[in-house]
Amino acid sequence: MLKINSNYKQLKDSYLFYETAHRLADYQKEHPDKNVIKMGIGDVTRPLCPAVVDALKKASEEMGVAETFRGYGPEQGYDFLREKVRDYYAEREVELELSEIFISDGAKSDCGNILDIFSKDNLVLVPDPVYPVYVDTNVMAGRRIIYMDANESNDFLPGPGEFEPGTSAEDAAEGPDLIYICSPNNPTGAAYDREQLKEWVDYANEKGAVILFDAAYESFAEGDDIPRSIFEIPGARTCAIELCSLSKTAGFTGTRCGYTVVPHDLVRDDTELNALWLRRQTTKFNGVSYVVQRGAEAVFTPEGRMQIKENIDYYKENARVIMDALEDLGIWYTGGVHSPYIWFKCPEGMDSWTFFDFLLKEAGVVGTPGQGFGNNGEGFFRLTAFSTRENTEEAMERLKKVLAK
Ligand code: MLT
C-alpha cells in the first residue's frame, strides 16, 4: 500500500501566512466595504524599477527571434548574472568564484531545497521566533529541531549556547549540525553585528556545523558594522552557505530570482558541499528563465542600483512612520532600522492572535501575530514597511486612535 510522507502529519495545520490570509478573507466576506490595510506578509508594493522593466522587455523580444532565442539555460545560472553577483560581493571584499554562485528562483525555494544534500539525522538549530519555512522544511524531512532563545533581554539576537529552556543537556553539549541564521532578521528585524556573527562562525567551525545564512534582507542593512553577507566574517567560507533573494531588494516577489553561495572551502564528510549542490541542481532544476535573469542582471547596473535604492529608502521611511507611532504610544519595539520589519509588544498585555483580531476588527489593519513565528513570539506582533506611504500613515493613525480609546 502506498505510504505518504508521514512527517507532514507533524506540521502545524497550515502555513502561517495562509492562516492569516484566510482569517482576512473571512473578515472581508462579512465586511466587504471595509478598507483593510495589509501590513502582514512581507510583499512589496513598489513596482519593478525601469531598468529592470527595460531589460525584461528586451529579453522577451530576443526570445521571439530565432537568432537570439534561448532554450535550456545553464542550471547554475547565466554567467552574465553570476558575474554581476560576484562583483557585488567583491565591493565588500568578498571574493567568490563564479562556480560558487547558483542562481535560484528565490531564497525560500533554495532554503527548502538545500536540505536535499544533508542527512535526515542532522540536528537542526533555529531561532525562536523564526521564519516558519526553516522549521517546516525540516519537519517535512523528519529532522530533529532545537531552538535558540531569542527574547527581549538579548535583543532577539541569541548567541551560541543560548538554547531555549527545555533543550536537553546532551543536545546542548553536542551542538547542532545545521544552524539557521537570518540577519537582518525575519521576523524581528534585529541584525547581528560583526562581532556577534563572528561568534557564530567560530562556533560552527568548532562543531563542524554548517550555517545556513539567509541574507534576503541584506539591502536594508545600514552602516559598516552590520554585515550584509556572512562571508564578510573571517572563517565563514569553511562553515556557511548563503541564501539571498531579489524579492525585497528589487521587488522580485512575483518575478522570482535569487542566488545561493556555496564556497568550495566548505567540506564535510570529505565532500565539497558545492559539488553536492551542483549535482542536486543539475538533476532537479533547469534554471531560472533567461528573461528573468536579464531582469535580475539590470538590478546590479549603476542605473538599477540607483532606482532600487529609491524604493528601499521609501520602505525605510515607512518603517520610520511605524516606529514613530509606536514611540508615541510608548510601545516597546525592535527592528525597522536595518529591516522592513518592525516587531513590537502587543499593547495592554494582549496575546498575539487576540491583537491580530483586535487590530483587524477595530482598525482594519492586518499584521502578523508573533506567536505564528514560535513560542517566543507570543505577546509580540510584526508589521511590514512594504505598504504604500499613504496606507502606512493611515494605518498608524488608526492604530493610535483605537489604542487611545
Ligand atoms: C514574510 O512575510 O515573512 C515573507 O514575505 C515571507 C517570504 O519571504 O517568503
Side-chain angles (χ1 to χ4, degrees):
M1 197 174 72
L2 178 135
K3 290 192 178 126
I4 60 157
N5 177 351
S6 58
N7 295 320
Y8 277 64
K9 292 185 181 164
Q10 308 304 319
L11 293 166
K12 280 193 190 158
D13 277 351
S14 67
Y15 183 60
L16 172 62
F17 297 109
Y18 183 81
E19 171 68 26
T20 51
H22 271 256
R23 287 202 187 201
L24 170 62
D26 288 347
Y27 178 78
Q28 282 188 313
K29 223 181 269 166
E30 281 170 33
H31 305 88
D33 301 329
K34 194 121 184 195
N35 164 25
V36 177
I37 299 176
K38 294 176 193 148
M39 297 169 79
I41 191 162
D43 199 3
V44 294
T45 50
R46 307 289 299 157
L48 293 173
C49 68
V52 169
V53 174
D54 288 348
L56 291 172
K57 280 190 196 157
K58 185 164 169 275
S60 303
E61 294 293 337
E62 285 175 41
M63 291 297 274
V65 176
E67 287 70 26
T68 48
F69 168 76
R70 314 257 185 150
Y72 289 126
E75 292 91 347
Q76 232 187 307
Y78 284 100
D79 281 359
F80 62 76
L81 178 54
R82 290 193 295 152
E83 282 162 10
K84 286 279 190 300
V85 174
R86 180 194 58 195
D87 297 348
Y88 181 60
Y89 276 81
E91 287 172 21
R92 281 162 285 149
E93 284 159 33
V94 174
E95 303 299 328
L96 297 178
E97 286 178 35
L98 279 198
S99 56
E100 296 177 319
I101 302 165
F102 296 76
I103 304 303
S104 71
D105 65 349
K108 178 171 169 175
S109 331
D110 267 14
C111 193
N113 294 337
I114 196 83
L115 295 173
D116 272 13
I117 66 170
F118 297 106
S119 159
K120 282 199 190 70
D121 301 330
N122 289 311
L123 181 64
V124 177
L125 176 65
V126 301
D128 177 5
V130 64
Y131 176 42
V133 174
Y134 308 158
V135 172
D136 289 358
T137 50
N138 279 292
V139 170
M140 286 170 182
R143 273 188 207 90
R144 223 157 50 76
I145 301 173
I146 56 173
Y147 293 87
M148 308 170 201
D149 195 5
N151 55 52
E152 217 181 315
S153 62
N154 58 23
D155 294 326
F156 286 93
L157 293 168
E162 288 188 70
F163 297 109
E164 210 155 75
T167 308
S168 76
E170 200 184 334
D171 284 345
E174 188 110 337
D177 303 300
L178 288 172
I179 302 170
Y180 284 82
I181 297 179
C182 175
S183 182
N185 186 266
N186 180 15
T188 67
Y192 284 109
D193 65 21
R194 264 167 223 288
E195 217 172 289
Q196 292 166 320
L197 268 189
K198 178 79 173 99
E199 283 179 30
W200 276 111
V201 165
D202 290 347
Y203 176 77
N205 277 322
E206 184 195 312
K207 296 280 182 194
V210 171
I211 296 175
L212 297 176
F213 188 79
D214 185 344
Y217 301 94
E218 57 88 20
S219 55
F220 287 81
E222 275 181 19
D224 280 345
D225 202 37
I226 304 297
R228 284 144 176 77
S229 161
I230 191 134
F231 298 118
E232 292 175 46
I233 307 298
R237 284 186 59 89
T238 53
C239 69
I241 289 174
E242 183 156 295
L243 303 125
C244 200
S245 157
L246 297 181
S247 287
K248 315 295 156 84
T249 298
F252 271 56
T253 49
T255 308
R256 309 306 308 152
C257 198
Y259 46 89
T260 294
V261 177
V262 190
H264 288 297
D265 300 340
L266 181 55
V267 176
R268 293 291 180 273
D269 209 357
D270 299 324
T271 310
E272 259 194 39
L273 297 193
N274 180 292
L276 287 189
W277 182 238
L278 180 64
R279 186 70 179 82
R280 190 271 175 206
Q281 290 297 78
T282 48
T283 304
K284 291 196 181 180
F285 188 51
N286 263 335
V288 174
S289 79
Y290 171 71
V291 175
V292 167
Q293 289 193 60
R294 280 294 185 198
E297 180 193 22
V299 170
F300 295 95
T301 59
E303 202 189 2
R305 293 275 287 273
M306 211 177 64
Q307 294 168 357
I308 61 164
K309 186 173 180 310
E310 279 170 25
N311 288 345
I312 291 167
D313 288 346
Y314 176 94
Y315 295 134
K316 277 179 175 277
E317 185 51 34
N318 284 351
R320 176 46 52 209
V321 169
I322 300 170
M323 291 190 286
D324 284 348
L326 294 173
E327 264 159 39
D328 285 353
L329 289 161
I331 293 175
W332 183 94
Y333 71 89
T334 186
V337 178
H338 304 291
S339 158
Y341 297 125
I342 295 93
W343 176 258
F344 61 95
K345 231 181 202 166
C346 299
E348 292 159 24
M350 275 186 254
D351 69 55
S352 308
W353 282 103
T354 303
F355 185 63
F356 175 88
D357 290 333
F358 170 84
L359 196 62
L360 177 58
K361 288 173 190 158
E362 300 299 320
V365 175
V366 179
T368 311
Q371 196 273 340
F373 296 105
N375 293 337
N376 279 11
E378 183 53 284
F380 291 88
F381 205 75
R382 192 194 78 174
L383 288 178
T384 88
F386 286 128
S387 200
T388 61
R389 177 70 39 74
E390 195 188 357
N391 278 346
T392 306
E393 285 171 349
E394 167 69 19
M396 291 305 100
E397 284 312 311
R398 293 187 197 175
L399 179 71
K400 286 187 200 167
K401 207 156 139 197
V402 296
L403 288 179
K405 268 188 198 166

